[in-house]
Amino acid sequence: MPEPIRTAALAGATLTTGLVAGLFFAYTCSVMPGLGATDDRTLIGAMQSINRKILNGWFLTAFLGAVLLLAVAAAAHLSRGGPVLFWTLAALVCYLVTVGVTMGLNVPLNDRLEAAGPVDRIGDLAEVRAWFEASWVRWNLVRTVSSVAALACLIAALLARR
């Protein structure tokens, strides 16, 4: 595979993984603590709105593009082996944890929150918050750590190319 393609795939994987890691980090250190300091109605209503709005081209391009670019970057370095391949594969594994937690845990919680109905029609806001917030925050922390770990591995891969 030509060197410019190897470089572009690794750079693209680093960029998209970094964007996703930054998004999840922002939720961990600001969005959820901020919403956690609000009342039940505010947290539930805000999260329902955020969950609807995050399904957009910008997010999906970065979130799914990272998986694709990580796979391309790993495949592009297969014939060379060595530390670049090692770090790229490690990044792919870490990012797959991010995708698995997102799709298997956070998204189902988001779907369940949406299914609770409009915030003005939810009978027991405290009950909805109780099953949603702590679990969602915990799993978001896991995907934050896994995506930041993937980014760190990609930085190591880029440095190993020197």
Side-chain angles (χ1 to χ4, degrees), residues 1 5 7 16 19 22 31 34 36 40 43-44 50 59 62 85-86 91-92 95 109 131 135-137 151 154 158:
M1 185 170 290
I5 293 174
T7 302
T16 53
L19 290 169
V31 175
D40 300 339
L43 181 134
I44 292 167
I50 289 168
F59 171 72
L85 177 61
F86 171 82
L92 179 58
Y95 196 79
L109 284 167
W131 61 252
S135 187
W136 196 96
V137 166
L151 178 60
L154 287 166
L158 287 168

PDB file of all heavy atoms in Angstrom, residues 1 5 7 16 19 22 31 34 36 40 43-44 50 59 62 85-86 91-92 95 109 131 135-137 151 154 158:
ATOM      1  N   MET A   1       0.853  -1.178   0.000  1.00  0.00           N
ATOM      2  CA  MET A   1       0.000   0.000   0.000  1.00  0.00           C
ATOM      3  C   MET A   1       0.900   1.243   0.000  1.00  0.00           C
ATOM      4  O   MET A   1       1.874   1.287   0.744  1.00  0.00           O
ATOM      5  CB  MET A   1      -0.895  -0.028   1.231  1.00  0.00           C
ATOM      6  CG  MET A   1      -1.901   1.090   1.268  1.00  0.00           C
ATOM      7  SD  MET A   1      -3.154   0.922   2.554  1.00  0.00           S
ATOM      8  CE  MET A   1      -4.110  -0.441   1.936  1.00  0.00           C
ATOM      9  N   ILE A   5      -1.240   6.714   1.630  1.00  0.00           N
ATOM     10  CA  ILE A   5      -2.495   6.127   2.114  1.00  0.00           C
ATOM     11  C   ILE A   5      -2.338   5.664   3.554  1.00  0.00           C
ATOM     12  O   ILE A   5      -3.226   5.870   4.386  1.00  0.00           O
ATOM     13  CB  ILE A   5      -2.964   4.985   1.188  1.00  0.00           C
ATOM     14  CG1 ILE A   5      -3.353   5.568  -0.169  1.00  0.00           C
ATOM     15  CG2 ILE A   5      -4.129   4.215   1.823  1.00  0.00           C
ATOM     16  CD1 ILE A   5      -3.704   4.553  -1.219  1.00  0.00           C
ATOM     17  N   THR A   7      -0.319   6.920   5.755  1.00  0.00           N
ATOM     18  CA  THR A   7      -0.267   8.137   6.567  1.00  0.00           C
ATOM     19  C   THR A   7      -1.648   8.757   6.725  1.00  0.00           C
ATOM     20  O   THR A   7      -2.044   9.139   7.833  1.00  0.00           O
ATOM     21  CB  THR A   7       0.699   9.151   5.927  1.00  0.00           C
ATOM     22  OG1 THR A   7       1.994   8.542   5.823  1.00  0.00           O
ATOM     23  CG2 THR A   7       0.794  10.426   6.735  1.00  0.00           C
ATOM     24  N   THR A  16     -10.416  11.445  14.011  1.00  0.00           N
ATOM     25  CA  THR A  16     -11.785  11.063  14.356  1.00  0.00           C
ATOM     26  C   THR A  16     -11.869  10.464  15.755  1.00  0.00           C
ATOM     27  O   THR A  16     -12.812  10.749  16.504  1.00  0.00           O
ATOM     28  CB  THR A  16     -12.375  10.094  13.312  1.00  0.00           C
ATOM     29  OG1 THR A  16     -11.481   8.984  13.139  1.00  0.00           O
ATOM     30  CG2 THR A  16     -12.596  10.795  11.982  1.00  0.00           C
ATOM     31  N   LEU A  19     -11.728  13.332  18.184  1.00  0.00           N
ATOM     32  CA  LEU A  19     -13.000  14.048  18.274  1.00  0.00           C
ATOM     33  C   LEU A  19     -13.991  13.319  19.174  1.00  0.00           C
ATOM     34  O   LEU A  19     -14.660  13.926  20.025  1.00  0.00           O
ATOM     35  CB  LEU A  19     -13.599  14.247  16.879  1.00  0.00           C
ATOM     36  CG  LEU A  19     -12.877  15.235  15.975  1.00  0.00           C
ATOM     37  CD1 LEU A  19     -13.413  15.138  14.546  1.00  0.00           C
ATOM     38  CD2 LEU A  19     -13.014  16.653  16.511  1.00  0.00           C
ATOM     39  N   GLY A  22     -12.867  13.414  22.813  1.00  0.00           N
ATOM     40  CA  GLY A  22     -13.147  14.745  23.367  1.00  0.00           C
ATOM     41  C   GLY A  22     -14.609  14.940  23.708  1.00  0.00           C
ATOM     42  O   GLY A  22     -14.948  15.537  24.736  1.00  0.00           O
ATOM     43  N   VAL A  31     -20.760  18.163  31.108  1.00  0.00           N
ATOM     44  CA  VAL A  31     -22.187  18.061  30.797  1.00  0.00           C
ATOM     45  C   VAL A  31     -22.946  17.316  31.892  1.00  0.00           C
ATOM     46  O   VAL A  31     -23.928  17.833  32.444  1.00  0.00           O
ATOM     47  CB  VAL A  31     -22.418  17.403  29.417  1.00  0.00           C
ATOM     48  CG1 VAL A  31     -23.903  17.182  29.164  1.00  0.00           C
ATOM     49  CG2 VAL A  31     -21.806  18.254  28.310  1.00  0.00           C
ATOM     50  N   GLY A  34     -22.855  18.986  35.303  1.00  0.00           N
ATOM     51  CA  GLY A  34     -23.732  20.157  35.262  1.00  0.00           C
ATOM     52  C   GLY A  34     -25.192  19.777  35.331  1.00  0.00           C
ATOM     53  O   GLY A  34     -25.965  20.360  36.101  1.00  0.00           O
ATOM     54  N   GLY A  36     -26.273  17.000  36.491  1.00  0.00           N
ATOM     55  CA  GLY A  36     -26.475  16.342  37.781  1.00  0.00           C
ATOM     56  C   GLY A  36     -26.824  17.316  38.896  1.00  0.00           C
ATOM     57  O   GLY A  36     -27.440  16.933  39.892  1.00  0.00           O
ATOM     58  N   ASP A  40     -34.791  17.010  38.384  1.00  0.00           N
ATOM     59  CA  ASP A  40     -35.116  15.846  37.568  1.00  0.00           C
ATOM     60  C   ASP A  40     -35.640  16.236  36.184  1.00  0.00           C
ATOM     61  O   ASP A  40     -35.229  15.684  35.174  1.00  0.00           O
ATOM     62  CB  ASP A  40     -36.156  14.959  38.265  1.00  0.00           C
ATOM     63  CG  ASP A  40     -35.687  14.428  39.612  1.00  0.00           C
ATOM     64  OD1 ASP A  40     -34.464  14.386  39.843  1.00  0.00           O
ATOM     65  OD2 ASP A  40     -36.557  14.063  40.428  1.00  0.00           O
ATOM     66  N   LEU A  43     -32.755  17.575  33.893  1.00  0.00           N
ATOM     67  CA  LEU A  43     -31.847  16.521  33.431  1.00  0.00           C
ATOM     68  C   LEU A  43     -32.518  15.646  32.386  1.00  0.00           C
ATOM     69  O   LEU A  43     -31.942  15.398  31.319  1.00  0.00           O
ATOM     70  CB  LEU A  43     -31.364  15.663  34.603  1.00  0.00           C
ATOM     71  CG  LEU A  43     -30.389  14.561  34.187  1.00  0.00           C
ATOM     72  CD1 LEU A  43     -29.205  14.503  35.117  1.00  0.00           C
ATOM     73  CD2 LEU A  43     -31.068  13.210  34.098  1.00  0.00           C
ATOM     74  N   ILE A  44     -33.718  15.197  32.663  1.00  0.00           N
ATOM     75  CA  ILE A  44     -34.403  14.285  31.734  1.00  0.00           C
ATOM     76  C   ILE A  44     -34.715  14.991  30.422  1.00  0.00           C
ATOM     77  O   ILE A  44     -34.447  14.466  29.342  1.00  0.00           O
ATOM     78  CB  ILE A  44     -35.679  13.693  32.383  1.00  0.00           C
ATOM     79  CG1 ILE A  44     -35.283  12.762  33.532  1.00  0.00           C
ATOM     80  CG2 ILE A  44     -36.529  12.962  31.343  1.00  0.00           C
ATOM     81  CD1 ILE A  44     -36.435  12.377  34.441  1.00  0.00           C
ATOM     82  N   ILE A  50     -30.751  16.181  23.841  1.00  0.00           N
ATOM     83  CA  ILE A  50     -29.380  15.896  23.394  1.00  0.00           C
ATOM     84  C   ILE A  50     -29.341  14.585  22.620  1.00  0.00           C
ATOM     85  O   ILE A  50     -28.700  14.491  21.568  1.00  0.00           O
ATOM     86  CB  ILE A  50     -28.416  15.864  24.603  1.00  0.00           C
ATOM     87  CG1 ILE A  50     -28.209  17.279  25.164  1.00  0.00           C
ATOM     88  CG2 ILE A  50     -27.083  15.226  24.217  1.00  0.00           C
ATOM     89  CD1 ILE A  50     -27.521  17.308  26.515  1.00  0.00           C
ATOM     90  N   PHE A  59     -21.538  13.893  14.062  1.00  0.00           N
ATOM     91  CA  PHE A  59     -21.217  12.870  15.057  1.00  0.00           C
ATOM     92  C   PHE A  59     -21.036  11.504  14.414  1.00  0.00           C
ATOM     93  O   PHE A  59     -20.068  10.797  14.690  1.00  0.00           O
ATOM     94  CB  PHE A  59     -22.296  12.795  16.144  1.00  0.00           C
ATOM     95  CG  PHE A  59     -22.090  11.613  17.063  1.00  0.00           C
ATOM     96  CD1 PHE A  59     -21.058  11.611  17.982  1.00  0.00           C
ATOM     97  CD2 PHE A  59     -22.904  10.495  16.973  1.00  0.00           C
ATOM     98  CE1 PHE A  59     -20.851  10.517  18.819  1.00  0.00           C
ATOM     99  CE2 PHE A  59     -22.709   9.397  17.803  1.00  0.00           C
ATOM    100  CZ  PHE A  59     -21.676   9.412  18.731  1.00  0.00           C
ATOM    101  N   ALA A  62     -17.715  11.061  12.551  1.00  0.00           N
ATOM    102  CA  ALA A  62     -16.568  10.852  13.439  1.00  0.00           C
ATOM    103  C   ALA A  62     -16.654   9.497  14.135  1.00  0.00           C
ATOM    104  O   ALA A  62     -15.673   8.737  14.151  1.00  0.00           O
ATOM    105  CB  ALA A  62     -16.491  11.976  14.473  1.00  0.00           C
ATOM    106  N   LEU A  85       1.983  -1.058  13.774  1.00  0.00           N
ATOM    107  CA  LEU A  85       0.875  -2.010  13.702  1.00  0.00           C
ATOM    108  C   LEU A  85       0.380  -2.358  15.099  1.00  0.00           C
ATOM    109  O   LEU A  85      -0.835  -2.367  15.344  1.00  0.00           O
ATOM    110  CB  LEU A  85       1.289  -3.281  12.959  1.00  0.00           C
ATOM    111  CG  LEU A  85       0.210  -4.374  12.894  1.00  0.00           C
ATOM    112  CD1 LEU A  85      -1.031  -3.884  12.154  1.00  0.00           C
ATOM    113  CD2 LEU A  85       0.783  -5.625  12.235  1.00  0.00           C
ATOM    114  N   PHE A  86       1.283  -2.616  16.017  1.00  0.00           N
ATOM    115  CA  PHE A  86       0.898  -2.950  17.392  1.00  0.00           C
ATOM    116  C   PHE A  86       0.011  -1.864  17.988  1.00  0.00           C
ATOM    117  O   PHE A  86      -1.073  -2.142  18.520  1.00  0.00           O
ATOM    118  CB  PHE A  86       2.135  -3.166  18.278  1.00  0.00           C
ATOM    119  CG  PHE A  86       1.784  -3.303  19.732  1.00  0.00           C
ATOM    120  CD1 PHE A  86       1.346  -4.515  20.239  1.00  0.00           C
ATOM    121  CD2 PHE A  86       1.861  -2.206  20.585  1.00  0.00           C
ATOM    122  CE1 PHE A  86       1.000  -4.643  21.587  1.00  0.00           C
ATOM    123  CE2 PHE A  86       1.510  -2.313  21.924  1.00  0.00           C
ATOM    124  CZ  PHE A  86       1.086  -3.538  22.425  1.00  0.00           C
ATOM    125  N   ALA A  91      -5.221   0.444  19.469  1.00  0.00           N
ATOM    126  CA  ALA A  91      -6.210   1.519  19.360  1.00  0.00           C
ATOM    127  C   ALA A  91      -7.544   0.972  18.855  1.00  0.00           C
ATOM    128  O   ALA A  91      -8.612   1.354  19.356  1.00  0.00           O
ATOM    129  CB  ALA A  91      -5.698   2.614  18.426  1.00  0.00           C
ATOM    130  N   LEU A  92      -7.483   0.092  17.880  1.00  0.00           N
ATOM    131  CA  LEU A  92      -8.703  -0.494  17.336  1.00  0.00           C
ATOM    132  C   LEU A  92      -9.458  -1.275  18.414  1.00  0.00           C
ATOM    133  O   LEU A  92     -10.681  -1.138  18.561  1.00  0.00           O
ATOM    134  CB  LEU A  92      -8.386  -1.392  16.144  1.00  0.00           C
ATOM    135  CG  LEU A  92      -9.564  -2.107  15.475  1.00  0.00           C
ATOM    136  CD1 LEU A  92     -10.612  -1.121  14.986  1.00  0.00           C
ATOM    137  CD2 LEU A  92      -9.058  -2.982  14.325  1.00  0.00           C
ATOM    138  N   TYR A  95     -11.005   1.191  20.822  1.00  0.00           N
ATOM    139  CA  TYR A  95     -12.133   1.897  20.219  1.00  0.00           C
ATOM    140  C   TYR A  95     -13.333   0.962  20.043  1.00  0.00           C
ATOM    141  O   TYR A  95     -14.474   1.404  20.168  1.00  0.00           O
ATOM    142  CB  TYR A  95     -11.747   2.552  18.894  1.00  0.00           C
ATOM    143  CG  TYR A  95     -12.773   3.577  18.486  1.00  0.00           C
ATOM    144  CD1 TYR A  95     -12.774   4.844  19.070  1.00  0.00           C
ATOM    145  CD2 TYR A  95     -13.769   3.280  17.574  1.00  0.00           C
ATOM    146  CE1 TYR A  95     -13.737   5.782  18.734  1.00  0.00           C
ATOM    147  CE2 TYR A  95     -14.739   4.214  17.238  1.00  0.00           C
ATOM    148  CZ  TYR A  95     -14.715   5.461  17.815  1.00  0.00           C
ATOM    149  OH  TYR A  95     -15.683   6.381  17.494  1.00  0.00           O
ATOM    150  N   LEU A 109     -30.005   2.834  27.013  1.00  0.00           N
ATOM    151  CA  LEU A 109     -30.477   3.738  28.065  1.00  0.00           C
ATOM    152  C   LEU A 109     -31.128   4.975  27.453  1.00  0.00           C
ATOM    153  O   LEU A 109     -32.174   5.444  27.921  1.00  0.00           O
ATOM    154  CB  LEU A 109     -29.327   4.135  28.991  1.00  0.00           C
ATOM    155  CG  LEU A 109     -28.878   3.085  29.995  1.00  0.00           C
ATOM    156  CD1 LEU A 109     -27.548   3.466  30.629  1.00  0.00           C
ATOM    157  CD2 LEU A 109     -29.943   2.868  31.066  1.00  0.00           C
ATOM    158  N   TRP A 131     -33.023   5.359  37.438  1.00  0.00           N
ATOM    159  CA  TRP A 131     -32.523   4.238  36.633  1.00  0.00           C
ATOM    160  C   TRP A 131     -31.656   4.710  35.476  1.00  0.00           C
ATOM    161  O   TRP A 131     -30.889   3.943  34.922  1.00  0.00           O
ATOM    162  CB  TRP A 131     -33.629   3.310  36.151  1.00  0.00           C
ATOM    163  CG  TRP A 131     -34.698   3.893  35.272  1.00  0.00           C
ATOM    164  CD1 TRP A 131     -35.993   4.142  35.636  1.00  0.00           C
ATOM    165  CD2 TRP A 131     -34.598   4.265  33.894  1.00  0.00           C
ATOM    166  NE1 TRP A 131     -36.689   4.669  34.569  1.00  0.00           N
ATOM    167  CE2 TRP A 131     -35.850   4.754  33.485  1.00  0.00           C
ATOM    168  CE3 TRP A 131     -33.567   4.251  32.956  1.00  0.00           C
ATOM    169  CZ2 TRP A 131     -36.111   5.218  32.200  1.00  0.00           C
ATOM    170  CZ3 TRP A 131     -33.820   4.709  31.671  1.00  0.00           C
ATOM    171  CH2 TRP A 131     -35.080   5.189  31.305  1.00  0.00           C
ATOM    172  N   SER A 135     -26.340   4.960  35.858  1.00  0.00           N
ATOM    173  CA  SER A 135     -25.882   3.955  34.902  1.00  0.00           C
ATOM    174  C   SER A 135     -25.279   4.611  33.659  1.00  0.00           C
ATOM    175  O   SER A 135     -24.211   4.214  33.185  1.00  0.00           O
ATOM    176  CB  SER A 135     -27.055   3.046  34.527  1.00  0.00           C
ATOM    177  OG  SER A 135     -26.606   1.977  33.745  1.00  0.00           O
ATOM    178  N   TRP A 136     -25.952   5.610  33.125  1.00  0.00           N
ATOM    179  CA  TRP A 136     -25.462   6.291  31.926  1.00  0.00           C
ATOM    180  C   TRP A 136     -24.104   6.948  32.188  1.00  0.00           C
ATOM    181  O   TRP A 136     -23.183   6.832  31.378  1.00  0.00           O
ATOM    182  CB  TRP A 136     -26.476   7.333  31.450  1.00  0.00           C
ATOM    183  CG  TRP A 136     -26.237   7.784  30.044  1.00  0.00           C
ATOM    184  CD1 TRP A 136     -26.839   7.296  28.923  1.00  0.00           C
ATOM    185  CD2 TRP A 136     -25.337   8.804  29.604  1.00  0.00           C
ATOM    186  NE1 TRP A 136     -26.361   7.954  27.810  1.00  0.00           N
ATOM    187  CE2 TRP A 136     -25.433   8.892  28.205  1.00  0.00           C
ATOM    188  CE3 TRP A 136     -24.450   9.658  30.262  1.00  0.00           C
ATOM    189  CZ2 TRP A 136     -24.690   9.783  27.447  1.00  0.00           C
ATOM    190  CZ3 TRP A 136     -23.697  10.546  29.503  1.00  0.00           C
ATOM    191  CH2 TRP A 136     -23.830  10.599  28.111  1.00  0.00           C
ATOM    192  N   VAL A 137     -23.974   7.600  33.342  1.00  0.00           N
ATOM    193  CA  VAL A 137     -22.715   8.270  33.704  1.00  0.00           C
ATOM    194  C   VAL A 137     -21.592   7.245  33.849  1.00  0.00           C
ATOM    195  O   VAL A 137     -20.474   7.457  33.365  1.00  0.00           O
ATOM    196  CB  VAL A 137     -22.898   9.110  34.993  1.00  0.00           C
ATOM    197  CG1 VAL A 137     -21.562   9.539  35.572  1.00  0.00           C
ATOM    198  CG2 VAL A 137     -23.776  10.330  34.707  1.00  0.00           C
ATOM    199  N   LEU A 151      -6.978   6.903  21.558  1.00  0.00           N
ATOM    200  CA  LEU A 151      -6.259   8.077  21.061  1.00  0.00           C
ATOM    201  C   LEU A 151      -4.790   8.032  21.480  1.00  0.00           C
ATOM    202  O   LEU A 151      -3.897   8.306  20.665  1.00  0.00           O
ATOM    203  CB  LEU A 151      -6.925   9.355  21.573  1.00  0.00           C
ATOM    204  CG  LEU A 151      -6.244  10.667  21.180  1.00  0.00           C
ATOM    205  CD1 LEU A 151      -6.197  10.830  19.662  1.00  0.00           C
ATOM    206  CD2 LEU A 151      -6.972  11.843  21.835  1.00  0.00           C
ATOM    207  N   LEU A 154      -2.967   5.681  19.284  1.00  0.00           N
ATOM    208  CA  LEU A 154      -2.728   6.252  17.953  1.00  0.00           C
ATOM    209  C   LEU A 154      -1.599   7.276  17.974  1.00  0.00           C
ATOM    210  O   LEU A 154      -0.809   7.354  17.021  1.00  0.00           O
ATOM    211  CB  LEU A 154      -4.015   6.866  17.399  1.00  0.00           C
ATOM    212  CG  LEU A 154      -5.040   5.840  16.954  1.00  0.00           C
ATOM    213  CD1 LEU A 154      -6.399   6.482  16.743  1.00  0.00           C
ATOM    214  CD2 LEU A 154      -4.572   5.127  15.685  1.00  0.00           C
ATOM    215  N   LEU A 158       1.750   7.046  15.743  1.00  0.00           N
ATOM    216  CA  LEU A 158       2.319   8.141  14.945  1.00  0.00           C
ATOM    217  C   LEU A 158       3.769   8.405  15.331  1.00  0.00           C
ATOM    218  O   LEU A 158       4.621   8.623  14.463  1.00  0.00           O
ATOM    219  CB  LEU A 158       1.480   9.416  15.135  1.00  0.00           C
ATOM    220  CG  LEU A 158       0.124   9.420  14.440  1.00  0.00           C
ATOM    221  CD1 LEU A 158      -0.720  10.583  14.921  1.00  0.00           C
ATOM    222  CD2 LEU A 158       0.290   9.471  12.917  1.00  0.00           C
TER     223      LEU A 158
END
